């Protein structure tokens, strides 16, 4: 017999009645009924009620009297049916109880700073400070186990499709993905640094040169960037690369994988199958962002043509200055108060817009809708009617407009759209609306740096027919990039890669990397590409975000065992922390005076 337990705390049923069992676990609850003491004993698999009767075992009763929450116990006893009417249908062991014959206190516990029994709200800093106790709670247990199942599903799915899982180093060289690197100083080579990979991008491409053809890895990525709800300094992705493939091969590999995970491992509903495929420009036009929340409509529309010649100076001048006027129709919001409209105005201002113009079509008792507006006095009746028609506004609707440069309009209205989606209850947390976004521009123009930046990363291949544009009009060249978007999050990104040295060098040049710099940083890639590189491509779905969406959690910290705080700190271990001056010396580092 196992020294600690014969069964776990979630296992005993009516058919075990009469058996002698041994259980071990934590005290979840203890009730003293004067004489009888009830202890709910909990382990990873569930809870079992233990009854301690001094008439049955005075030894067990003496121990049980001093037991508190989270004490670690071992109990030997007999399984019996609970008395008539005292079943607990909410517990899978709710029909039985264990009458204690012997009890051993394996370890006492301090009073925890919050209950480990339930998911009652606790300040997040406290949860992170005592993460091991937080991880004892049901919500985190559910999330950790779900995460394991997702990763196992991925491993099985890819293994049956002939993929090989290969680990790549964490101590490596800078691999840019658009964020800052975490650097690790070398003790052995003074003044030299490793960079933690922002992704295994270079290494997986080198594995294609090496001929592995189908690689994957559950890979840790490190990016030093300002943290938001869905970002962490280190996160995990399913990193994947294939040779002799086109975009279609990657899409048709990943889509069934995601559908299988959602349908088999969660209770979420997929809005559309197969996933819609949208072009980058189309999603920008319709949603103002390349990661749209497509659970709901409220699509944006252009009205520049209708207002260019109008008497409203703000609209007219914006269009004349190369800007754009776009709107969104908030169904049923015509009665929004001044304060509510002010709140929305503040939101678009935070995104850089100068303001929000509005037009409300109020329903009235006499059936003749009445127009209220911040700018109607500058427009004639026909112009207003045309705006309402473009908005497809019905009586009771509120139409909101932003006039600015296209980037600002998109930024402002995409945020406004999400806010309205929230206010109108259109973002159903039980629905997952996946879509592919395709045909990204290869580059975006960086105003600050006066150069082209890769939209994805610098190894993404242009569309073959757009290669000549690299010399003539780089901004018009499309990349072979694809993103998988869900509910407003980018959940995977990938591309077909450049496999010809000449094209790669051209891209380096356009993003302002001279050949000498490029050789310094990526000489190994350029060299490898000369040894017979197959055409290849890949993708990297984020595991944290996927599990977050499946679990219906608001951020990825809830699905990571030991996440960092919003200030990139581990509040439990107190990292980062100062180090011994001797360690700095060994690393040939000295700290600048602050
Ligand atoms: N390395 C990319 C990323 O982490 C994914 C890819 O292109 O496969 O976003």
């Amino acid at each position: 017999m196992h020294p600690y337990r014969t069964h776990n705390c979630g296992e005993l049923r009516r058919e075990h009645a009469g058996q002698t069992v041994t259980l071990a676990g934590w005290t979840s609850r203890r009730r003293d009924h004067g004489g009888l003491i009830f202890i709910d004993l909990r382990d990873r698999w569930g809870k079992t009620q233990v009854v301690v009767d001094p008439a049955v075992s005075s030894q067990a009763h003496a121990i049980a009297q001093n037991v508190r929450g989270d004490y670690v116990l071992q109990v030997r006893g007999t399984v019996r049916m609970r008395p008539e009417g005292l079943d607990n249908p909410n517990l899978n062991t709710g029909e039985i109880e264990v009458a204690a014959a012997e009890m051993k206190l394996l370890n006492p516990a301090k009073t925890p700073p919050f209950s480990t029994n339930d998911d009652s709200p606790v300040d997040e800093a406290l949860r992170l400070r005592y993460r091991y106790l937080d991880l004892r709670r049901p919500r985190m247990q559910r999330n950790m186990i779900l995460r394991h199942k997702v990763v196992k599903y991925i491993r099985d799915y890819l293994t049956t499709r002939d993929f090989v899982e290969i680990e790549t180093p964490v101590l490596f060289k800078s691999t840019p993905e658009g964020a800052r690197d975490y650097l690790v100083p070398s003790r052995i080579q003074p003044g030299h640094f490793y960079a933690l990979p922002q992704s295994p991008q270079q290494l997986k491409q080198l594995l294609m040169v090496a001929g592995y053809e189908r690689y994957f890895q559950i890979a840790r990525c490190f990016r030093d960037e300002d943290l938001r709800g869905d970002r962490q300094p280190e996160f995990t992705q399913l990193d994947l690369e294939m040779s002799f493939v086109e975009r279609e091969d990657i899409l048709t590999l990943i889509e069934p994988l995601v559908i299988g995970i959602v349908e088999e491992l969660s209770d979420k509903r997929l809005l559309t199958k197969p996933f819609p495929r949208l072009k980058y420009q189309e999603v920008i036009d319709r949603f103002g962002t390349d990661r749209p929340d497509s659970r709901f409509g409220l699509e944006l529309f252009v009205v520049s043509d209708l207002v260019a010649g109008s008497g409203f100076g703000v609209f007219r001048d914006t269009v004349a200055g190369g800007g754009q006027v776009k709107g969104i129709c908030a169904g049923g919001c015509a009665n929004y108060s001044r304060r509510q409209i002010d709140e929305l105005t503040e939101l678009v201002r935070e995104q850089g817009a100068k303001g929000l113009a509005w037009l409300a079509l109020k329903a009235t008792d006499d059936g003749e809708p009445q127009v209220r507006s911040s700018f109607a006095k500058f427009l004639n009746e026909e112009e207003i009617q045309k705006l309402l028609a473009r908005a497809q506004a019905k009586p009771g609707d509120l139409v909101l407009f932003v006039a600015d440069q296209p980037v600002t309009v998109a930024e402002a209205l995409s945020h406004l759209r999400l806010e309205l989606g929230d206010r109108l209850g259109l973002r159903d947390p039980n629905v997952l609306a996946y879509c592919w976004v395709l045909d990204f521009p290869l580059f975006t123009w960086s105003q600050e740096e006066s150069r082209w930046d890769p939209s994805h990363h610098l190894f993404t291949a242009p569309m073959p027919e757009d290669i000549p544009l690299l010399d003539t009009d780089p901004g018009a060249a499309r990349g072979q990039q694809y993103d998988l978007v869900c509910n407003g999050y980018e959940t995977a990104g990938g591309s077909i890669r450049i496999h010809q040295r000449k094209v790669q060098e051209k891209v380096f040049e356009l993003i302002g990397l001279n050949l000498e710099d490029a050789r310094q940083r990526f000489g190994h890639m350029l060299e490898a590409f000369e040894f017979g590189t197959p055409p290849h491509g890949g993708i990297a779905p984020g595991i944290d975000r996927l599990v977050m969406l499946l679990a219906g959690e608001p951020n990825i910290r809830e699905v990571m065992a030991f996440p960092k705080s919003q200030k990139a700190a581990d509040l439990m271990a107190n990292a980062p922390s100062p180090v011994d001056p001797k360690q700095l010396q060994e690393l040939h580092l000295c700290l600048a005076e602050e």
Side-chain angles (χ1 to χ4, degrees):
M1 202 174 68
H2 191 271
Y4 280 116
R5 48 163 59 128
T6 56
H7 295 79
N8 66 49
C9 294
E11 200 177 352
L12 298 173
R13 300 286 185 276
R14 61 167 47 231
E15 58 268 25
H16 295 97
Q19 290 186 19
T20 300
V21 298
T22 306
L23 302 178
W26 288 261
T27 307
S28 144
R29 245 165 34 115
R30 173 185 167 282
R31 284 156 292 146
D32 193 336
H33 284 198
L36 287 189
I37 297 175
F38 291 87
I39 290 174
D40 289 342
L41 200 65
R42 183 194 63 219
D43 66 12
R44 214 191 91 189
W45 292 274
K47 282 184 195 166
T48 301
Q49 174 164 291
V50 175
V51 188
V52 192
D53 183 345
V56 174
S57 168
S58 55
Q59 183 274 340
H61 193 262
I63 292 190
Q65 272 188 321
N66 297 316
V67 161
R68 299 284 171 270
D70 292 275
Y71 274 33
V72 186
L73 303 176
Q74 184 186 28
V75 180
R76 191 172 59 78
T78 312
V79 183
R80 65 182 189 207
M81 298 305 291
R82 292 195 191 190
E84 197 64 38
L86 293 179
D87 289 7
N88 181 352
N90 299 325
L91 215 58
N92 45 14
T93 61
E95 279 190 314
I96 56 93
E97 59 191 14
V98 171
E102 193 183 337
M103 184 174 284
K104 200 162 162 188
L105 174 61
L106 297 177
N107 229 338
K110 281 178 35 177
T111 305
F114 47 82
S115 163
T116 59
N117 256 335
D118 54 42
D119 291 322
S120 49
V122 176
D123 172 56
E124 197 185 7
L126 195 65
R127 290 176 57 204
L128 292 177
R129 160 90 174 74
Y130 295 96
R131 188 59 156 183
Y132 42 88
L133 296 179
D134 191 31
L135 286 165
R136 259 186 212 168
R137 308 205 315 158
R139 169 188 185 178
M140 293 308 290
Q141 283 213 6
R142 262 195 319 274
N143 291 352
M144 288 304 108
I145 291 167
L146 172 63
R147 187 177 175 122
H148 160 74
K149 288 184 180 158
V150 169
V151 171
K152 169 150 185 350
Y153 193 103
I154 291 172
R155 286 204 159 103
D156 291 346
Y157 180 92
L158 293 174
T159 304
T160 56
R161 284 161 183 78
D162 250 347
F163 279 78
V164 187
E165 182 166 8
I166 301 177
E167 288 177 75
T168 55
V170 162
L171 294 179
F172 194 57
K173 203 171 161 125
S174 177
T175 294
E177 293 276 0
R180 222 174 270 118
D181 286 324
Y182 279 101
L183 297 176
V184 180
S186 162
R187 177 179 59 81
I188 293 168
Q189 296 188 41
H192 288 64
F193 294 81
Y194 303 99
L196 306 185
Q198 293 184 31
S199 81
Q201 185 62 38
Q202 297 188 57
L203 294 148
K204 69 172 167 178
Q205 291 194 241
L206 292 170
L207 287 170
M208 295 304 105
V209 179
Y212 285 88
E213 300 220 13
R214 289 174 169 228
Y215 141 92
F216 83 100
Q217 179 180 194
I218 305 298
R220 197 60 66 82
C221 304
F222 305 87
R223 299 184 190 179
D224 186 1
E225 53 194 348
D226 294 332
L227 306 188
R228 295 200 306 257
D230 57 335
R231 296 248 170 103
Q232 279 278 303
E234 51 182 308
F235 61 91
T236 308
Q237 66 186 22
L238 159 59
D239 196 50
L240 180 148
E241 197 77 8
M242 299 169 85
S243 293
F244 305 109
V245 287
E246 295 181 334
R247 178 175 89 182
E248 197 57 28
D249 300 295
I250 306 283
L251 268 44
T252 52
L253 173 80
I254 293 300
E255 190 166 318
L257 170 64
V258 173
I259 291 175
I261 289 174
V262 172
E263 292 185 341
E264 290 178 40
L265 302 180
S266 85
D267 55 5
K268 303 285 178 242
R269 185 168 65 79
L270 288 167
L271 186 68
T272 331
K273 272 191 315 189
F275 300 162
R277 295 179 177 197
L278 307 171
K279 287 187 191 312
Y280 170 86
Q281 197 51 52
E282 183 188 345
V283 291
I284 295 289
D285 291 346
R286 290 169 55 190
F287 305 103
T289 170
D290 57 6
R291 38 190 172 83
D293 186 342
S294 48
R295 276 174 296 184
F296 63 101
L298 297 191
E299 292 190 15
L300 316 182
F301 49 88
V302 180
V303 295
S304 307
D305 56 318
L306 301 180
V307 297
S310 78
F312 186 30
V314 174
F315 283 178
R316 195 187 51 226
D317 298 347
T318 302
V319 179
Q324 194 185 34
V325 185
K326 281 181 90 168
I328 183 168
C329 180
C333 298
N335 283 328
Y336 262 27
S337 65
R338 187 81 239 172
R339 191 177 54 83
Q340 283 170 306
I341 293 184
D342 285 348
E343 283 165 7
L344 300 180
T345 307
E346 193 44 45
L347 186 130
V348 297
R349 288 219 172 102
E350 279 164 20
Q351 303 308 319
K354 289 186 271 302
L356 195 60
W358 55 272
L359 187 59
L361 192 60
K362 285 192 125 187
T364 57
D365 289 340
D366 62 14
E368 197 51 43
Q370 181 198 355
V371 172
R372 269 173 63 232
S373 169
S374 60
F375 60 90
K377 58 175 181 269
F378 302 111
L379 266 55
N380 61 37
E381 184 57 28
E382 194 194 334
E383 287 169 325
I384 290 176
Q385 287 311 322
K386 279 191 175 157
L387 284 178
L388 290 170
R390 179 74 52 89
Q392 298 182 343
K394 298 179 302 306
D397 291 354
L398 172 69
V399 194
L400 300 157
F401 301 91
V402 171
D404 220 303
Q405 289 305 307
V407 178
T408 311
V409 172
E411 198 73 17
L413 284 181
S414 64
H415 279 81
L416 184 61
R417 180 175 172 273
L418 294 183
E419 174 66 23
L420 291 170
D422 277 334
R423 288 184 181 218
L424 295 171
L426 300 173
R427 304 179 77 189
D428 184 346
N430 295 313
V431 170
L432 299 181
Y434 276 97
C435 63
W436 289 105
V437 181
L438 310 170
D439 289 0
F440 283 76
L442 187 60
F443 300 110
T444 49
W445 180 250
S446 161
Q447 207 64 47
E448 289 131 59
E449 315 263 349
S450 249
R451 62 167 162 76
W452 294 105
D453 273 339
S455 301
H456 186 214
H457 52 56
L458 40 78
F459 307 113
T460 295
M463 294 282 196
E465 62 272 31
D466 290 358
I467 290 180
L469 289 172
L470 298 184
D471 290 316
T472 53
D473 185 5
R478 291 159 307 156
Q480 297 196 59
Q481 178 190 346
Y482 29 82
D483 279 3
L484 183 61
V485 173
C486 180
N487 292 10
Y489 294 99
E490 182 197 321
T491 61
S495 59
I496 298 300
R497 325 298 183 187
I498 299 170
H499 65 279
Q500 295 130 317
R501 181 173 177 149
K502 267 212 148 59
V503 181
Q504 188 67 69
E505 286 182 353
K506 181 74 204 169
V507 169
F508 286 153
E509 183 193 317
L510 285 166
I511 64 176
L513 256 187
N514 68 41
L515 267 187
E516 200 29 56
D517 289 345
R519 252 180 228 124
Q520 278 270 327
R521 294 177 62 187
F522 307 110
H524 53 288
M525 292 278 279
L526 293 174
E527 186 177 51
F529 277 14
E530 293 187 315
F531 286 96
T533 305
H536 60 286
I539 191 165
I543 304 247
D544 313 284
R545 276 186 203 169
L546 173 60
V547 181
M548 173 188 94
L549 289 166
L550 297 174
E553 290 289 3
N555 65 62
I556 58 173
R557 296 188 298 283
E558 301 297 350
V559 298
M560 296 175 138
F562 298 103
K564 307 280 188 289
S565 71
Q566 289 291 68
K567 286 197 170 148
D570 183 317
L571 301 180
M572 178 183 67
N574 223 348
S577 54
V579 294
D580 195 326
K582 190 159 163 283
Q583 282 179 296
L584 288 179
Q585 224 173 37
E586 278 176 352
L587 292 170
H588 324 281
L589 294 178
C590 58
L591 298 180
E593 297 290 328
E594 278 301 304

